[in-house]
């Protein structure tokens, strides 16, 4: 598998920078990283130069889904850029799209600290952040000031912690109304394990009621639903039926897991587990959803993507786009270029012209 000089340069610097960052508390290091990306994005000539280097034209990897053109299939998952402050900086790393949030109608502080933990030996992260964000209106103001949109932007929506479940639809509708003008797609987050009761909204009856409320908005932006990896195949089948009947534009599979199939001193920490231990589970969910929907609803695959082969496996299972979060934390700023180079190599190896031809090949 070939490596570009730019990717190799990123990897060289990351080898000495990662131990320094990992010596710091996880959430503090995350804040440093986000501020660095925000600063990079503010240096527009440099950001544009890096974007051209790290995101060259790759027509064989491009995707067009729900009316949106994606220059490549690799995106940043929600949870990294919660307040939409680092979009140009993330674009400069080579990603094809960014999903910001989760954003709630009103600002909220999230859960008490510490709430973010690295399980380095397993390439994993546990978080119980609790939708900490500055609120939909503040994010809308930030996005409105974004003069240059260098890539498609998804906006992930959630409900405020204090909103009763029976009133959750009001929160999603409110956030959607505020943020839709700035989104290429909206993602309805029903699957975070860190907001009490939230996952119950994935039940077919609750999901249908919520989606019908959102449809009344007559929003012209694509509407996607983000699901948990801890659902059984029968549950995924029923959810898929609701998604088809409500004409949902896409499904994001998956969020973090409550399962702990690892031995680690921090494994008992409450919250959602992401990273390498999630990879196979999320790929299985993608395969089941693709089968249940007969490939009629595009899937964004996320969970444990650290390499081109991880991404390729999810695409063959039925994902049209891929997202990562933990992979960026562990792999560093060169990971997008590394994975995209690898996907090109996969197509060359398999004698396939377009990545879209591989979607669902092994579902």
């Amino acid at each position: 598998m070939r490596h570009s000089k730019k990717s190799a340069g990123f990897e060289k610097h990351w080898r000495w920078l990662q131990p320094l960052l990992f010596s710091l508390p996880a959430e503090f290091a995350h804040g440093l990283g986000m501020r660095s990306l925000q600063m990079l994005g503010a240096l527009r000539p440099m950001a544009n130069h890096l974007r051209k280097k790290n995101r060259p034209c790759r027509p064989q990897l491009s995707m067009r889904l729900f009316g949106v053109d994606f220059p490549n299939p690799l995106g940043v998952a929600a949870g990294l850029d919660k307040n939409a402050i680092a979009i140009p900086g993330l674009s400069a790393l080579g990603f094809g799209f960014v999903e910001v949030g989760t954003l709630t109608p009103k600002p909220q502080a999230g859960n008490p600290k510490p709430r973010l933990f690295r399980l380095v030996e397993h390439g994993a992260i546990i978080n119980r952040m609790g939708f900490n964000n500055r609120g939909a209106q503040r994010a809308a103001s930030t996005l409105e000031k974004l003069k240059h949109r260098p890539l498609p932007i998804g906006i992930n929506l959630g409900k405020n912690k204090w909103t009763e479940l029976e009133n959750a639809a009001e929160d999603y509708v409110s956030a959607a109304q505020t943020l839709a003008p700035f989104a290429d797609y909206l993602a309805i987050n029903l699957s975070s394990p860190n907001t009490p009761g939230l996952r119950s909204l994935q039940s077919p009856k609750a999901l249908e009621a919520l989606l019908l409320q959102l449809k009344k908005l007559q929003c012209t932006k694509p509407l996607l639903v983000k699901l948990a990896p801890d659902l059984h195949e029968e549950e995924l089948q029923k959810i898929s039926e609701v998604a088809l009947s409500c004409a949902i534009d896409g499904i994001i599979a998956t969020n973090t897991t409550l399962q702990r199939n690892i031995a680690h001193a921090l494994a008992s920490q409450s919250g959602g587990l992401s990273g390498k231990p999630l990879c196979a589970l999320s790929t299985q969910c993608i395969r089941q959803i693709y089968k249940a929907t007969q490939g009629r609803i595009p899937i964004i695959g996320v969970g444990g993507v650290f390499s081109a082969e991880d991404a390729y496996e999810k695409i063959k299972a039925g994902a049209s786009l891929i997202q990562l979060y933990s992979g960026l934390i562990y792999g560093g700023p060169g990971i997008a270029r590394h994975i995209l180079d690898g996907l090109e190599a996969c197509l060359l190896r398999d004698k396939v012209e377009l990545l879209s031809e591989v979607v669902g090949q092994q579902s």
Side-chain angles (χ1 to χ4, degrees), residues 30 34 76-88 90 98-103 325:
H30 179 270
M34 295 311 300
V76 178
L80 188 81
D81 186 4
K82 289 180 176 293
N83 295 299
I85 63 171
I87 293 166
L90 289 166
V98 171
E99 187 174 313
V100 300
T102 298
L103 288 157
Y325 177 153

Side-chain angles (χ1 to χ4, degrees), residues 18-30:
Q18 187 195 53
L20 177 61
L21 287 173
F22 277 27
S23 70
L24 302 171
E27 189 168 349
F28 182 78
H30 179 270

Side-chain angles (χ1 to χ4, degrees), residues 24-41:
L24 302 171
E27 189 168 349
F28 182 78
H30 179 270
L32 283 179
M34 295 311 300
R35 285 191 288 275
S36 298
L37 286 166
Q38 186 178 18
M39 290 171 62
L40 172 60

Side-chain angles (χ1 to χ4, degrees), residues 98-162:
V98 171
E99 187 174 313
V100 300
T102 298
L103 288 157
T104 52
K106 296 179 181 178
Q108 64 180 42
N111 293 321
K113 299 178 182 179
R115 53 193 180 181
L116 186 65
F117 308 90
R118 305 184 200 95
L119 288 67
V120 178
E121 301 92 321
H122 299 281
I125 294 172
I126 292 175
N127 95 82
R128 52 171 180 267
M129 303 298 286
F131 289 174
N132 55 307
N133 73 104
R134 298 172 183 171
Q137 192 58 60
R138 178 82 173 269
S141 297
T142 301
L143 289 163
E144 189 173 26
K145 294 172 185 174
L146 189 63
K147 296 178 181 178
H148 176 58
R149 296 172 62 90
L151 76 181
I153 299 170
I155 301 182
N156 188 289
L157 309 178
K159 81 170 190 71
N160 282 115
K161 184 176 182 178
W162 53 82

Side-chain angles (χ1 to χ4, degrees), residues 169-190:
E170 296 175 12
D171 272 16
Y172 287 104
V173 167
S174 173
Q177 287 176 321
T178 301
L179 292 163
F182 311 102
D184 289 289
Y185 71 82
L186 297 171
I188 308 305
N189 189 347
L190 306 175

Side-chain angles (χ1 to χ4, degrees), residues 7 16-17 27 38 71 165 200 204 221 244 264 272 276 315 330 348-349 351 357:
S7 179
W16 64 262
L17 183 59
E27 189 168 349
Q38 186 178 18
L165 284 173
S200 67
K221 300 300 173 70
L244 285 167
H264 193 279
K276 288 184 178 181
I315 292 166
Y330 283 99
L348 188 63
R349 178 195 66 199
K351 299 178 180 179
E357 297 175 27

